[in-house]
Amino acid sequence: MTFNSLSFLIFFAIVYVLYLSVQHKWQNRILLIASYFFYGCWNWRFLSLIVISTVIDYMVGRKLDASVDKLVRKKWLFLSMFCNLGILAFFKYFNFFTQSLIDFLQTFNLNVNFSTLNILLPVGISFYTFQTMSYTIDVYRKELKPCDNFFDFALFVSFFPQLVAGPIERAKNLLPNVTTERVVTYEKIRRGLFLIVFGLFKKVVIADGVAPSVNQIYNAAGGVTGIDVILATYLFALQIYCDFSGYSDIARGVSKMMGFELMENFRVPYISKDPSEFWNRWHISLSSWLRDYLYIPLGGNRKGSFCTYRNLIITMVLGGLWHGAAWNFVLWGTYQGVILVLYRLFQKKKRRTKNPAINLLAIVFFFQVTCYGWLLFRANSLSQIVQFTELLIHLDTLHSIIHIPSIATLIGIMFLFIFDVISVVHDNAAFYFSYHKVVRSFMYALSLFILFMGMTNAPAEFIYFQF
C-alpha cells in the first residue's frame, strides 16, 4: 500500500475519521493498529521484527533509567545495539557479504560452497532500526527520559506515515507528539493537504515521469552514448530528489493533518555550493543521525586533521552501505567521504564570497560532482560504472537514444524549478502561505492540474523502499 494508491486513500480516510472521533489515548491505539496494518500489507510476517525491536528497546530504556552503574548501563546499551544491528545485518547484508567472500576466494581459484539464503528484505528496516536505536542511545546519554507507556513507545517506533521511508525521527521530537494531547486545526489540515498534493506532484508527475528514461539507459544492454549517460544521470538526480522528498512531503502532510510535526527532510539540496552544505540539505534526518550517533562518537573533528578525515570516510562509507547491500553503494559512500575530505583540505584556503556569479558557478560545478555520485548510486554493477565513466571521458558524439519525458513531466519540472527558486529567495519552504489567497488558489489549482495530467505516467515504487 503506497501513498500514491487508491488503497492508501481509502485506508487513511477510514483511519482519519476514527482518529478525529475519539480522545488522545484511543487515538494512539487506533494509530498503532493502523500502523501495524499498513506495514503488514507488504508482508505481515515482518511485523514480528518491529515488535521484537519495540519490546527490546522499551525494556532497555527502562533498565537504563533504573541503573546508575556505568558498566551495567553499557551492557544494556550493548544488548540493544546487538539485537537491532544483528537483525538488520542478517536480513540486509548476510547474502551480500557471503557472496562477496565467495567471489573473493574464487579469484584465488578457491571454490567454496557457502550457503546463501533466500532472504527477503523487510521494507523500511533501515529506517525504523535507526529510529529506535537513537532512542536507547539518547536514554543512555541521559538526554531523554524513557517512555512509560509501552503502547505509546510502540507507536513511536511504527508510526505509519514515516515508517517505511522516513524521515528518521528522533524520540526527542516524535515521542512528545505521541504522549501529549494533539490539537488538529484548520491551519494544520490546510498545510498538510498542500504537502500531500505537492508530494504527489513530485512523485507522480516528475519522478515517475522521468523513470522510464533513466531505466532505458541504465538498464540498456548496449548502444548507449556519453550524451545518454549525461541526460539519464541528470534525470535520475531529478527522479531521486522528487521521489524521496515527495514521500517525505506526503508523510509530513499526513502527520500534520493529525497534529504531528515531523522534521523537514530536504531543503532544496541542488543549490548547494559544497558537500557540507549538501548534507545539511539532503536527507537531513539520516545525515544528522550519522553525525550525532557515528561521526561525533568516533571523535568528530576533535583529534586533529587525520582523525577528522578518517572519521568522515568511515561515516560516509557506512552511510553508503546503509542504503543497500551492493558495492556501488559502498563506492558511492566512499566518494562522498572523499569529496568531504577534499572540501575540508581546501576550505581554509578558500575565501567565502557574496558575489552571485561566483556562487552560481559553485552551484553549477558542485551539481556536476553530485550527479557523478548519482551515477555511482544508480549503476547496476561496478562494470557499468567503468563503462559509463569511460563514455563520459571519451565523449565523442551528440547522438542520443534517450526517451523524452511527457509534456506533463516537462511542465512539472519547470514548475518545481520556479517553486524552489522562490522558496530559496524567501528562505522559506512555506512561502506561499504569505501570499494573497487568490495567488495561492491559482498555485494550488495549477499543481492539481499538472498532477492530473501526470497521472498517465506509469507508477513506480518509491526508490527508498528498498533501503
Side-chain angles (χ1 to χ4, degrees):
M1 180 165 37
T2 58
F3 284 164
N4 55 331
S5 65
L6 178 62
S7 58
F8 178 79
L9 178 62
I10 297 170
F11 161 79
F12 181 62
I14 295 171
V15 170
Y16 197 55
V17 170
L18 293 174
Y19 177 85
L20 293 178
S21 64
V22 296
Q23 294 183 339
H24 172 253
K25 175 184 175 181
W26 293 107
Q27 285 180 336
N28 285 1
R29 302 300 179 267
I30 288 171
L31 289 180
L32 180 60
I33 295 169
S35 297
Y36 283 164
F37 175 81
F38 176 80
Y39 192 82
C41 286
W42 273 283
N43 193 321
W44 63 267
R45 290 170 296 181
F46 289 139
L47 275 172
S48 60
L49 300 180
I50 295 181
V51 173
I52 289 170
S53 292
T54 301
V55 171
I56 290 173
D57 287 318
Y58 176 77
M59 178 191 69
V60 168
R62 305 286 293 174
K63 293 294 185 180
L64 287 171
D65 187 58
S67 176
V68 295
D69 187 291
K70 290 184 179 180
L71 181 59
V72 172
R73 299 181 86 251
K74 284 183 178 179
K75 288 180 179 178
W76 283 114
L77 178 65
F78 175 79
L79 174 65
S80 172
M81 298 298 102
F82 177 80
C83 292
N84 283 295
L85 292 177
I87 293 172
L88 179 63
F90 176 76
F91 280 94
K92 192 166 185 174
Y93 303 110
F94 178 83
N95 280 348
F96 168 64
F97 285 116
T98 301
Q99 189 60 51
S100 296
L101 179 59
I102 292 172
D103 294 341
F104 175 74
L105 292 175
Q106 284 179 345
T107 61
F108 299 98
N109 296 318
L110 296 174
N111 294 318
V112 292
N113 291 316
F114 294 142
S115 296
T116 57
L117 305 176
N118 185 24
I119 301 174
L120 295 176
L121 178 65
V123 64
I125 188 171
S126 297
F127 287 92
Y128 71 74
T129 298
F130 271 30
Q131 182 156 311
T132 189
M133 280 172 57
S134 70
Y135 166 81
T136 51
I137 295 172
D138 285 348
V139 173
Y140 172 79
R141 293 174 175 175
K142 298 184 178 180
E143 296 175 358
L144 177 74
K145 293 294 291 182
C147 183
D148 293 327
N149 188 295
F150 173 78
F151 296 106
D152 286 350
F153 179 73
L155 177 57
F156 156 73
V157 175
S158 61
F159 186 49
F160 75 85
Q162 47 84 229
L163 173 60
V164 296
I168 304 169
E169 280 291 342
R170 306 288 181 88
K172 286 180 281 190
N173 176 45
L174 186 54
L175 259 181
N177 276 234
V178 172
T179 57
T180 58
E181 190 166 346
R182 299 169 293 274
V183 178
V184 177
T185 64
Y186 168 74
E187 182 68 11
K188 289 181 179 179
I189 293 174
R190 184 166 68 100
R191 290 180 178 246
L193 280 172
F194 181 76
L195 281 171
I196 293 170
V197 170
F198 199 55
L200 287 171
F201 165 84
K202 288 179 180 178
K203 168 61 178 170
V204 174
V205 178
I206 302 179
D208 290 354
V210 302
S213 303
V214 175
N215 294 337
Q216 177 193 10
I217 303 305
Y218 276 91
N219 296 341
V224 173
T225 68
I227 291 296
D228 288 326
V229 175
I230 292 172
L231 294 176
T233 305
Y234 282 160
L235 290 177
F236 179 68
L238 272 174
Q239 181 190 2
I240 194 169
Y241 168 54
C242 291
D243 190 282
F244 195 17
S245 69
Y247 185 96
S248 294
D249 287 345
I250 299 168
R252 291 176 61 219
V254 169
S255 301
K256 193 179 285 289
M257 289 182 65
M258 296 186 291
F260 291 83
E261 294 294 335
L262 299 187
M263 70 179 295
E264 187 180 9
N265 212 15
F266 292 86
R267 297 191 189 117
V268 198
Y270 293 144
I271 66 160
S272 302
K273 298 179 287 294
D274 56 65
S276 180
E277 182 182 2
F278 178 79
W279 286 107
N280 284 321
R281 293 178 175 275
W282 178 274
H283 202 345
I284 301 167
S285 62
L286 175 64
S287 59
S288 60
W289 197 101
L290 292 171
R291 178 196 65 208
D292 295 341
Y293 298 110
L294 184 57
Y295 175 70
I296 292 176
L298 283 172
N301 59 0
R302 301 189 303 272
K303 298 181 180 180
S305 297
F306 174 79
C307 290
T308 298
Y309 303 150
R310 178 203 64 191
N311 297 338
L312 283 170
I313 295 292
I314 292 173
T315 299
M316 297 313 297
V317 168
L318 292 177
L321 194 58
W322 176 90
H323 282 83
W327 285 111
N328 67 302
F329 292 120
V330 176
L331 185 58
W332 176 77
T334 304
Y335 175 79
Q336 297 297 333
V338 168
I339 61 176
L340 279 167
V341 168
L342 291 174
Y343 171 71
R344 286 258 183 176
L345 283 169
F346 292 102
Q347 186 181 23
K348 296 177 182 177
K349 301 178 182 179
K350 186 182 72 171
R351 293 183 179 179
R352 292 191 176 275
T353 177
K354 294 184 179 180
N355 187 314
I358 294 176
N359 284 333
L360 180 60
L361 285 173
I363 290 170
V364 172
F365 172 76
F366 186 71
F367 181 67
Q368 313 312 310
V369 175
T370 302
C371 283
Y372 185 73
W374 289 138
L375 185 155
L376 305 178
F377 190 97
R378 176 60 179 83
N380 296 317
S381 64
L382 296 180
S383 61
Q384 187 179 66
I385 291 173
V386 173
Q387 176 197 356
F388 280 13
T389 302
E390 288 177 347
L391 288 171
L392 293 176
I393 294 172
H394 304 294
L395 191 62
D396 56 4
T397 178
L398 296 179
H399 174 69
S400 176
I401 62 170
I402 196 167
H403 168 77
I404 303 299
S406 68
I407 294 296
T409 298
L410 295 175
I411 294 173
I413 292 170
M414 289 188 288
F415 181 85
L416 178 64
F417 177 78
I418 294 170
F419 183 93
D420 279 355
V421 167
I422 297 174
S423 71
V424 170
V425 171
H426 285 272
D427 194 23
N428 179 10
F431 66 89
Y432 43 87
F433 285 113
S434 64
Y435 287 7
H436 190 276
K437 62 181 180 181
V438 174
V439 179
R440 289 202 313 270
S441 298
F442 174 76
M443 189 177 71
Y444 300 159
L446 184 59
S447 301
L448 284 170
F449 177 71
I450 302 173
L451 175 59
F452 287 132
M453 285 179 61
M455 284 184 175
T456 57
N457 293 331
E461 187 179 69
F462 284 92
I463 293 173
Y464 268 69
F465 280 11
Q466 63 186 292
F467 306 137

